[in-house]
Amino acid sequence: MHAELYALDAVEESAAAFAELATITVEPPSEGPMIHVEVRDMREDVRDRLVDELYNHALEGTILRRQSRDG
């Protein structure tokens, strides 16, 4: 996930929200602009859509944070 598009705290919040569905680790950018997200051990019934939903959740959280900050 690119740190210019996603707020790290929103990504971490999303990882926590989806924790019952998979093992998700989030590493902040170290060199460069990428937030590293690893998704493992996904529940079989959500495997085909979990990553997309995780990204959508993180993007929504980022947008809400930016709106409240800029509002």
Side-chain angles (χ1 to χ4, degrees):
M1 298 180 147
H2 201 286
E4 289 183 18
L5 297 176
Y6 295 91
L8 178 60
D9 56 340
V11 175
E12 292 171 334
E13 182 180 288
S14 296
F18 284 73
E20 292 185 22
L21 303 175
T23 302
I24 304 168
T25 55
V26 178
E27 295 180 26
S30 57
E31 294 181 25
M34 299 304 289
I35 300 169
H36 297 278
V37 178
E38 182 179 4
V39 181
R40 303 182 318 277
D41 305 322
M42 287 182 265
R43 262 187 20 198
E44 193 62 38
D45 60 325
V46 296
R47 181 176 296 277
D48 63 336
R49 63 187 183 278
L50 184 118
V51 173
D52 290 338
E53 294 297 332
L54 176 70
Y55 275 51
N56 287 337
H57 191 275
L59 184 58
E60 178 183 22
T62 298
I63 290 167
L64 293 173
R65 282 167 174 72
R66 290 181 181 163
Q67 285 176 338
S68 67
R69 179 190 70 198
D70 296 340

